[in-house]
Amino acid sequence: MWYYAARRVLLAIPIALGVTVICFCLVYLAPGDPVQTLLPPDATQADVAYLKKVYGFDKPIPVQYAKWLGRAVTGDLGTSIQTNQPVLREVLRALSHTLVLSIGAVLVAYPLALALGTLAAFTIGRPPDRLATAISVFGVSIPNYWLGIVLIIVFAVKLGALPVAGMGPNGSDSFDITRWAQFRYVILPVVTTACVPLGIIMRTTRSAVAEVLSQEFIQTLRAKGLRRGAVLRHAVRNALPQMLAVMGLQFGYLVGGSILTETIFTWPGTGLLLSKSILTRDIPMLQGAMLVLALCFVGINLAVDLLQTAVDPRIKRA
Amino acid sequence: MTETTLDAAGRPLAAETSTRAAPAGYWRGVARRLRYDYVTLLFIALIAAIALAAIFAPLIAPFDPYKSSMIYRLKPIGYRGFLLGTDELGRDMLSRLTYGGRSSLMMGLTPVILATAIGGSLGLVAGYLGGWVNALIMRTMDVFYAFPSVLLAVAISGTLGGGVVNGLIALTLVFIPPLCRVAEGATTQIRDRDFVEAARASGASATSIIFYHVLRNVSAPVLIYASSLISVSILLAAGLSFLGLGVEPPTADWGLMLSTLRQSIYVQPLICALPGLAIFIVSLSFNLVSDGLRQAMDVRS
């Protein structure tokens, strides 16, 4: 167990390094001189020369990467062109807002998806299964940016029941879930983000549980006269590793892929930060946000893998 | 799938027997299963209809999709011959939606086709050769896996500066790793089977084995997987345009239309929802057709 865990952690290191390489290359992907992309357009010649020296742009690219990585490891991801604030601080603050949405979506989507998916697996081909399958196809196919707009039209514009956008009254930027005045703002974005994971997790749960149910030991359990609930427990326990894997992956997507929903609801998370930094060509911010999000994604996947080995002793033998 | 390549008389002969004998029965079975799958057939027809409407848009569209008019701005559905109303510049919505299918379908399909060709080939090579080539290709793919697809697509096209071509590049890059993984997995399973061994023993070169034997067995899972990505690709492509990173105005594109009409939800909410509905219908259709094909072709996910 510990051997496997240590091995898995070590395997994540080259991936994380690869991620830093891609994020580093972003600056060079941008059209034009990297120094120009790091500076505001009205920078003077002296500024350009100074920055070239400070960032080491006059050195070969591998050296530049090493320097950049060295600064990144110590938490220095550069300064935002737009706000002149340290990138890391802005990204982390936005990340905390994104997590509010992601965790909200998890709380809404996961229990529902697990319940409906299991129900569908027990009633394959019958109406409950048909309904659950239809919901999951809809959840996967619906463009969530469109769903967000439709929800805004219905609940904010027509009914006037919920706010259109933002994270709280008067452009509030701290989150306090216990206050209804603020909680109202989280409802529509959470419902919108919950759709895709709902569909995907329901689908995986259905096929995973159905596969366990088709195995012979389930017939034995039924023949022994076990009650339905007990059979259910066996089925779910065996399907759990597969379900965990997809739940973890979806959580990663929620944290890292929130850009469209956050743009629609002007939710001040990492997604909105990314979309703003693209519009204003704030490359250091874009690079920093992408690095932090990708590392979160790697970390989440690692955590899920470790959790999987904890619940499924069969894995560590493989 | 049974393979009939045990006769080792020579390369051309082995190739001929395998093109004729084995797949014919398989594909006939697929067609037979599809014929009774009415849901899949219905949605194949729907996709065909939408694609035809997009291709022949100049013949179908009642108005010029780019002709704006200050007096006819944001008119409701059915107003004076504008069957689906008009947008914020007074352009006919029905015509724009018909034309919009062109860029939306193109932006959705092209990356999947390109990524299937590139990712599939990389996967074939990695799976067939194994060893350090496999390690090099697959570990590189692993790194791209470390980014959520939306994030990678937005970051790449955003850094490159938006536009149709950059959007296509970004989406293609996003879909190469998963397709490569599927192709590599299937190839690794095939390469040690007896009929491949037999072909190798009879002196067939690596290229001809890959083309005649491996490709034939790997193409079904890869194509099914690619078909399931079309829906994702259409959603992502429209999403890029929605963010202002894909198609540029005034081109008619569903994602872009949704984004510009967003300002008018207080005036004509129904019309503002139309482009998104079009994206939804197409993405749903591709999802259902892909599921149907997967069942008909008997490929396990």
Side-chain angles (χ1 to χ4, degrees):
Chain A
M1 169 80 205
W2 292 113
Y3 170 73
Y4 177 88
R7 222 175 73 101
R8 184 62 190 76
V9 172
L10 285 179
L11 276 176
I13 293 173
I15 301 276
L17 274 177
V19 166
T20 61
V21 170
I22 292 184
C23 290
F24 172 76
C25 291
L26 270 186
V27 175
Y28 294 88
L29 261 182
D33 189 349
V35 183
Q36 299 291 345
T37 59
L38 288 173
L39 278 170
D42 55 344
T44 63
Q45 278 297 324
D47 285 341
V48 173
Y50 174 72
L51 199 82
K52 242 187 184 141
K53 217 165 165 228
V54 169
Y55 279 71
F57 278 120
D58 44 353
K59 305 242 166 51
I61 287 182
V63 177
Q64 291 180 33
Y65 168 70
K67 279 191 133 182
W68 175 80
L69 186 64
R71 281 197 309 273
V73 168
T74 57
D76 174 13
L77 293 177
T79 315
S80 160
I81 291 174
Q82 287 301 313
T83 61
N84 261 324
Q85 299 284 319
V87 165
L88 187 67
R89 205 169 71 197
E90 299 236 340
V91 172
L92 288 181
R93 209 178 60 188
L95 187 63
S96 72
H97 298 154
T98 296
L99 281 174
V100 172
L101 282 195
S102 313
I103 292 169
V106 166
L107 294 178
V108 172
Y110 285 27
L112 197 62
L114 295 181
L116 283 175
T118 315
L119 177 72
F122 270 89
T123 57
I124 286 221
R126 281 182 278 146
D129 171 40
R130 293 275 161 83
L131 181 69
T133 310
I135 295 176
S136 92
V137 175
F138 268 72
V140 177
S141 308
I142 204 162
N144 57 10
Y145 39 94
W146 176 63
L147 178 68
I149 293 176
V150 171
L151 289 176
I152 289 177
I153 290 176
V154 174
F155 290 98
V157 177
K158 291 279 173 197
L159 298 177
L162 292 169
V164 174
M167 202 173 69
N170 311 323
S172 151
D173 67 345
S174 60
F175 198 77
D176 179 8
I177 199 137
T178 54
R179 282 172 43 225
W180 169 245
Q182 189 143 41
F183 184 76
R184 296 168 66 216
Y185 284 80
V186 90
I187 297 175
L188 291 184
V190 161
V191 172
T192 307
T193 31
C195 234
V196 174
L198 177 71
I200 292 178
I201 294 170
M202 198 191 294
R203 199 178 196 166
T204 314
T205 307
R206 175 183 180 269
S207 71
V209 174
E211 204 191 314
V212 176
L213 284 179
S214 71
Q215 286 173 18
E216 281 178 353
F217 79 92
I218 294 284
Q219 282 199 337
T220 315
L221 294 180
R222 286 199 169 128
K224 264 185 6 184
L226 240 64
R227 277 174 294 107
R228 267 197 155 186
V231 176
L232 174 83
R233 214 184 61 231
H234 280 277
V236 170
R237 271 191 70 170
N238 274 281
L240 194 61
Q242 214 181 329
M243 282 143 68
L244 265 181
V246 74
M247 286 193 283
L249 201 60
Q250 285 304 311
F251 183 61
Y253 285 142
L254 282 174
V255 175
S258 59
I259 179 161
L260 284 156
T261 334
E262 285 182 8
T263 309
I264 287 165
F265 290 100
T266 43
W267 185 266
T270 41
L272 192 66
L273 192 71
L274 272 172
S275 117
K276 264 194 215 153
S277 58
I278 287 171
L279 284 180
T280 55
R281 301 215 55 75
D282 189 346
I283 300 289
M285 186 65 103
L286 177 65
Q287 191 182 36
M290 194 168 163
L291 181 65
V292 170
L293 287 179
L295 290 180
C296 281
F297 195 57
V298 174
I300 290 170
N301 284 339
L302 176 65
V304 170
D305 266 16
L306 294 177
L307 203 61
Q308 254 183 301
T309 31
V311 296
D312 188 1
R314 285 170 298 188
I315 290 180
K316 67 180 170 218
R317 265 186 258 138
Chain B
M1 246 195 290
T2 51
E3 270 288 337
T4 54
T5 43
L6 286 174
D7 87 292
R11 211 186 305 155
L13 188 64
E16 262 181 32
T17 44
S18 65
T19 34
R20 295 221 182 109
Y26 171 68
W27 287 109
R28 197 167 297 159
V30 171
R32 198 184 55 236
R33 269 171 298 212
L34 264 186
R35 203 181 310 148
Y36 296 101
D37 186 353
Y38 299 115
V39 178
T40 308
L41 288 180
L42 176 74
F43 281 94
I44 289 180
L46 184 60
I47 291 174
I50 294 173
L52 285 175
I55 294 169
F56 297 108
L59 302 176
I60 294 169
F63 294 94
D64 177 357
Y66 298 108
K67 188 175 173 293
S68 53
S69 151
M70 291 307 274
I71 359 169
Y72 290 130
R73 274 163 40 183
L74 291 167
K75 291 301 176 201
I77 285 179
Y79 180 86
R80 287 208 191 166
F82 297 115
L83 281 180
L84 292 179
T86 59
D87 73 356
E88 79 282 359
L89 293 175
R91 298 172 293 195
D92 178 44
M93 278 299 283
L94 180 58
S95 308
R96 282 184 73 72
L97 285 171
T98 319
Y99 272 88
R102 291 181 155 193
S103 90
S104 297
L105 288 177
M106 190 273 290
M107 288 279 289
L109 287 171
T110 318
V112 176
I113 295 170
L114 289 177
T116 307
I118 303 171
S121 319
L122 284 173
L124 270 177
V125 172
Y128 187 77
L129 295 180
W132 67 269
V133 180
N134 181 298
L136 178 72
I137 295 179
M138 298 321 288
R139 294 298 82 77
T140 314
M141 295 299 156
D142 284 350
V143 172
F144 281 93
Y145 256 100
F147 296 92
S149 49
V150 185
L151 179 65
L152 193 60
V154 167
I156 295 177
S157 68
T159 324
L160 287 174
V164 174
V165 176
N166 289 338
L168 290 178
I169 294 176
L171 288 173
T172 307
L173 277 174
V174 165
F175 292 128
I176 287 176
L179 280 160
C180 179
R181 238 185 216 188
V182 172
E184 190 258 358
T187 311
T188 314
Q189 281 182 2
I190 290 293
R191 58 175 267 204
D192 293 326
R193 295 266 291 275
D194 287 344
F195 66 88
V196 179
E197 204 83 8
R200 211 176 289 139
S202 70
S205 70
T207 14
S208 73
I209 293 177
I210 288 185
F211 272 103
Y212 295 136
H213 303 301
V214 180
L215 193 59
R216 202 171 302 291
N217 288 287
V218 167
S219 55
V222 171
L223 289 181
I224 284 296
Y225 188 71
S227 79
S228 76
L229 287 180
I230 295 177
S231 156
V232 184
S233 176
I234 287 177
L235 289 182
L236 266 182
L240 285 184
S241 295
F242 181 82
L243 288 173
L245 287 174
V247 177
E248 279 148 29
T251 311
D253 173 274
W254 295 338
L256 187 63
M257 287 163 76
L258 187 63
S259 146
T260 51
L261 279 168
R262 223 180 105 204
Q263 319 301 329
S264 316
I265 50 172
Y266 288 96
V267 193
Q268 287 292 354
L270 201 56
I271 286 176
C272 301
L274 285 176
L277 187 65
I279 303 170
F280 178 40
I281 291 172
V282 171
S283 128
L284 182 72
S285 307
F286 274 109
N287 258 331
L288 289 170
V289 169
S290 166
D291 283 354
L293 286 180
R294 184 190 298 278
Q295 270 180 5
M297 289 171 77
D298 198 24
V299 176
R300 300 195 61 193
S301 50

